């Protein structure tokens, strides 16, 4: 067993691991596979295991003073729930009294950030970092987590003002929900544009069919489309529509224009093309939502 590092060394090590993880996730559209996490290669060539081989939610590698990473899975044994103030509750891992939870408590005491892996698919984990443990609730057997440095400084239980509440909601939206939506959409579409099949996740967005905040605008895969930047913008500005039968339509005026290759190949030639949809039927775009959105495209044309 390796000797424990100092807290400062351990903090730095976490920063290095997290930076490499986030870079890797950026290449795929937001997730890292479980196989990669079992032996994750760091920039200095060293290899680090980032998940518990036993499948537990809390990963305490030997030589580490405190928990390095936790897994949350919406359908697994370690779900977490959101409470007011942009905070997340994380259940104790079952097992002997204390057990693996002791080192997560240690992360709280030392102020060491942990990596949170959100399971977004059978073999896909979205990394979020830094995540801080700010409270331990032995009665409900839960830890309270925050993804934000500012929220970390607000005492738990403090009644938030409407402005603070709006800030907390926005932080969770940006740091937790939006990345999870993106990762799930990228995963469903295999990292390609549903319109032109451009296969480059760094040039792709997870577009909403019904906009966020509108009724039906939930961050679910069936309300999403994987679109390249140009097709996302064209969709949002009504230059392009997608009918409920999964066919691409280009604005009539745009079809009649003459311009360079981007207009011709990138837009005009997409007219009438069949949308490339996810392999899994349950991930395909919801026709009712497409219809609602398509009506707006038709009205604008
Ligand atoms: Zn495209």
């Amino acid at each position: 067993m390796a000797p424990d590092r100092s807290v400062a060394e351990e903090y730095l090590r976490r920063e290095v691991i997290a930076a490499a993880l986030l870079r890797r996730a950026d290449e795929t559209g937001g997730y890292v596979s479980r196989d990669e996490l079992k032996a994750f290669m760091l920039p200095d060539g060293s290899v680090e295991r980032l998940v518990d081989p036993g499948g537990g939610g809390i990963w305490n590698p030997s030589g580490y003073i405190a928990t390095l990473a936790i897994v949350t899975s919406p359908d697994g044994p370690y779900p977490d729930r959101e409470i007011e103030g942009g905070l997340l509750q994380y259940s104790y891992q079952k097992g002997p009294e204390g057990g693996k939870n002791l080192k997560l408590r240690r992360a709280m005491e030392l102020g060491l950030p942990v990596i949170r892996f959100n399971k977004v698919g059978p073999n896909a984990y979205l990394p979020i970092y830094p995540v801080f443990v700010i409270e331990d609730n032995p009665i409900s057997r839960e830890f309270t987590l925050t993804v934000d440095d500012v929220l970390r400084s607000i005492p738990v239980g403090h009644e938030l003002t409407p402005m603070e509440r709006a800030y907390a909601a926005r932080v969770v939206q940006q740091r937790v929900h939006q990345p999870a939506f993106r990762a799930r959409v990228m995963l469903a579409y295999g990292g390609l544009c549903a319109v032109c099949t451009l296969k480059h996740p760094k040039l792709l967005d997870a577009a909403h069919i019904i906009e966020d905040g509108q009724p039906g605008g939930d961050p679910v895969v069936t309300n999403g489309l994987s679109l390249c930047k140009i097709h996302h913008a064209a969709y949002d500005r009504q230059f392009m529509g997608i009918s409920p039968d999964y066919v691409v339509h280009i604005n009539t005026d745009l079809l009649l224009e003459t311009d360079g290759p981007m207009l011709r190949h990138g837009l005009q030639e997409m007219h009438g093309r069949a949308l490339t949809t996810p392999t899994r039927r349950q991930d395909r775009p919801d026709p009712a939502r497409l219809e609602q959105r398509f009506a707006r495209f038709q009205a604008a044309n």
Side-chain angles (χ1 to χ4, degrees):
M1 191 168 152
D4 277 1
R5 300 184 179 90
S6 72
V7 173
E9 274 176 301
E10 193 158 311
Y11 205 122
L12 271 173
R13 179 95 183 149
R14 282 157 200 258
E15 293 287 321
V16 169
I17 294 171
L21 262 175
L22 297 176
R23 231 179 358 258
R24 173 64 194 136
D26 191 41
E27 287 166 12
T28 61
Y31 56 89
V32 182
S33 75
R34 186 173 176 93
D35 293 336
E36 283 177 280
L37 296 184
K38 286 184 193 162
F40 191 74
M41 175 81 84
L42 293 171
D44 66 359
S46 63
V47 172
E48 181 92 43
R49 176 179 260 284
L50 301 177
V51 281
D52 182 2
I58 297 176
W59 176 224
N60 300 326
S62 70
Y64 277 76
I65 302 166
T67 295
L68 175 62
I70 57 172
V71 172
T72 68
S73 165
D75 47 357
Y78 309 107
D80 57 9
R81 59 191 178 84
E82 220 175 294
I83 55 170
E84 215 212 8
L87 304 176
L88 305 163
Q89 296 293 80
Y90 189 78
S91 299
Y92 278 17
Q93 185 162 326
K94 291 189 180 68
E97 200 46 49
K100 296 198 166 175
N101 305 306
L102 290 175
K103 283 208 164 179
L104 193 49
R105 187 170 304 137
R106 198 82 187 105
M108 174 182 77
E109 291 160 357
L110 297 170
L112 281 169
V114 298
I115 303 163
R116 176 184 184 268
F117 290 113
N118 181 3
K119 191 174 180 196
V120 289
N123 186 26
Y125 293 77
L126 158 78
I128 298 178
Y129 181 88
V131 173
F132 297 96
V133 185
I134 55 166
E135 203 189 34
D136 178 15
N137 320 278
I139 306 290
S140 62
R141 300 179 59 78
E142 286 174 320
F143 290 100
T144 303
L145 313 174
T146 179
V147 294
D148 185 71
D149 237 352
V150 176
L151 293 176
R152 192 183 162 199
S153 63
I154 296 177
V156 175
H158 156 85
E159 187 145 356
L160 299 179
T161 65
M163 220 164 74
E164 289 169 339
R165 203 169 298 149
Y167 172 83
R170 197 172 63 242
V171 164
V172 170
Q173 180 68 10
Q174 287 170 351
R175 297 276 325 278
V176 179
H177 299 310
Q178 282 168 3
F181 175 65
R182 174 175 167 79
R184 289 202 175 90
V185 170
M186 290 299 130
L187 198 59
Y189 285 80
L192 48 82
C193 174
V195 171
C196 67
T197 69
L198 176 72
K199 197 173 174 25
H200 210 305
K202 286 182 182 174
L203 296 177
L204 299 177
D205 291 331
H208 284 78
I209 297 171
I210 302 296
E211 291 88 342
D212 189 29
Q214 300 294 318
D218 325 61
V220 292
V221 175
T222 51
N223 186 38
L225 289 168
S226 168
L227 294 177
C228 69
K229 302 284 178 187
I230 187 88
H231 290 132
H232 187 189
Y235 192 54
D236 280 354
R237 313 266 161 121
Q238 319 289 8
F239 286 117
M240 183 183 84
I242 295 166
S243 48
D245 56 352
Y246 301 151
V247 175
V248 179
H249 299 256
I250 298 295
N251 170 299
T252 318
D253 290 345
L254 213 60
L255 285 175
L256 299 172
E257 270 180 37
T258 311
D259 194 20
M262 180 51 94
L263 177 74
R264 195 165 71 249
H265 303 303
L267 292 165
Q268 291 169 337
E269 286 177 11
M270 296 299 125
H271 187 63
R273 205 172 140 109
L275 200 70
T276 300
T277 55
T279 330
R280 295 198 325 170
R281 191 163 285 276
Q282 69 265 38
D283 289 340
R284 292 184 190 161
D286 172 17
R289 285 183 168 103
L290 284 175
E291 190 170 7
Q292 193 185 329
R293 177 79 188 252
F294 190 60
R296 295 213 317 262
F297 168 77
Q298 286 177 304
N301 275 267

